[in-house]
Amino acid sequence: MNPEFLLKESIAKGLEKEFSIIVAPESILLEPTRKDFEGSLTFVVFPYIKQAKLSPEQIGARIGEFCKTDIPNIIASVNVVKGFLNIVFKDSLWVDQLYTNFLREDFAQVTDGKGEKVMVEYSSPNTNKPLHLGHLRNNFLGYSISQILKANGFDVVKANLVNDRGIHICKSMLAYQKFGSGETPQSAGMKGDHLVGKYYVAFDKELKKEIESLVASGIAEEQAKKDAPILKEAQAMLLKWEQGDKEVYQLWETMNAWVYEGFNESYKNIGVSFDHFYYESNTYLLGKDIVEEGLQMGVFNKREDGSVWIDLTAEGLDQKLVLRSDGTSVYITQDLGTAELKFKDFGCKRSVYVVGNEQDYHFVVLAQILKKLNKPYADGLYHMSYGMVDLPSGKMKSREGTVVDADDLVSEMVETAKLRTLEQGKTDGFTGEQAQKLYHTIGLGALKYYLLKVDPKKRMMFNPEESIDFQGHTGPSIQYTYARISAILRKAAELGITSDLPKGETIETLNPFEISVLELLSRFPTKIREAGAEYSPSTIANYIFEVAKEFNRFYVEVSIFQETDEIKKSFRIAFCKAVAKTIKDGMLLLGIEVPEKM
RNA sequence: GACUCCGUAGCUCAGUUGGAUAGAGCAACUGCCUUCUAAGCAGUAGGUCAAGCGUUCGAAUCGCUUCGGGGUCACCA
């Protein structure tokens, strides 16, 4: 039985016996004891002073005494400071916890989700240009939250809704037609997505040129922006695409195929994956039947010009268009359609959308509409809204060429990892392939950790120099801790030291370093719950860093192989195993791998 | 303008269901590699938690006001 729960039960019993205060054990709040006081868990008594009509110190003392006699096999001592009752567990309890809990294969598996299906939609790129830094945050967050939801007992379907149609794709296509002279990714020696992106930039350049010359000929800038011939051509091309024009369609398929090949390579390289792909070219016409449905229900209303609207003023929102007067879809129409499609395909009542916070309003509206339509999946919609990634030079803008390309960034990180590793001569005994894999693990680990350690909701700063730092609060430093432990475990195996204690043996006294690490390990399931409930990979990232940091303190202070007490030695091997497992499992929740050697 | 998110050390961030003396990392400075990997550890210095008022046993955390920054308010996606 979990000692934290036993303690809560005992406190609840104590409150009742001593003060006739009835509280459910689950609702009792315990927090980790502050470092400067003795103890593992702290019960704050202030909330009960009114009912108990005694001073905080007196209440704390009486509850403490009660617990001590109630569960003497768990508690070593208690102390009361002001209104804080600090509980010191017996060292042998931690030993017991280590063997029966922390080392268990499923220690990090929470079952609260009960196998319920959840769809996590993330990545969702446009096919007119390659992935950039902002996409990386999205992809890492999406993958990580999928892992975290799985760890919470949900059955997760990872989906990618590819935006493969629209005016922006036509821009790339048109520029390719004009200036491409038939080059291909092979002939250009470029990844397909980068090649297509090149023409997207080319389009923009041409467009600017045309606008300038129009302005020079005396046309107002506003008008020139609308009248530029190349823009008109792109719009015409989109129309042709929608009419199924063979030539346009073929070009579209060819160029998209290039992009997909490029994306797949990138996805593989950054270690994210999907269970299902949706393509907007298949879904952009959906949603019209839902509009019809809404009209029938009286949720939507049709105006004279034929456009369809929903009035959300009662909800504190606005009037919102859901279908244009010409009968074509807008963004939200499509999203209504795909929400329905997702539900039909997988039956997920819960659906997580990993989408930037500039779309907060859109998702509030979407959720409201689904609710009004009485959709069974309306309440399960969650917009995992994350902040922009800023550069020291300011906001990233594709058109102004201030984006950081995802592929370039990853290779730079890997290259830096290689340099650092070679500098330190740490690849002795590695084959070339193993070394390459290590550089990738470290470089990518650094990048993922850097992007995931920050609260997703917050806008964050990407400082290129800091992100390639491998020391301190970084992924590689955690990976390094894992590699160190692995070295110990290898040596223990060589020496034939087991991690099991002889039958009937236990350890009565641990050192403070061991205890504070074990305290941390005990919080892992709670942290997983927290991360799941808050949709916050950063909770896990910061927790794992704490574990690694605390273990490192133990590592420099306490020797394992020089320990003469064989029982203690075995215990410490088990201890190392549990820490390694926690770090590994935690990092995998972030999508970060850990190396056995580095 | 309306709505919304944010403001914590020089920098990047934790901490926010109200709890003890607000914590890390980087950068700066001092130490520690003949003992399990120094991508580590120990230490020094660095704070009016944007400002003010309020709520109460207690506020970085809740409320109001002000200042500063971002985002959204398209028959674009």
Side-chain angles (χ1 to χ4, degrees), chain A residues 254-297:
Chain A
T254 306
M255 289 180 73
N256 268 351
W258 293 342
V259 172
Y260 294 143
E261 204 172 314
F263 280 173
N264 284 340
E265 197 180 319
S266 296
Y267 286 144
K268 201 175 162 202
N269 193 35
I270 62 175
V272 302
S273 58
F274 305 92
D275 303 307
H276 192 78
F277 282 86
Y278 286 106
Y279 297 93
E280 218 184 278
S281 54
N282 294 326
T283 61
Y284 82 108
L285 294 174
L286 294 177
K288 291 187 189 179
D289 42 348
I290 296 190
V291 170
E292 195 50 43
E293 190 184 324
L295 279 169
Q296 300 280 325
M297 291 171 73

Side-chain angles (χ1 to χ4, degrees), chain A residues 292 295 300-309:
Chain A
E292 195 50 43
L295 279 169
F300 299 151
N301 55 80
K302 197 172 236 172
R303 292 190 181 170
E304 276 182 16
D305 62 2
S307 59
V308 180
W309 295 73

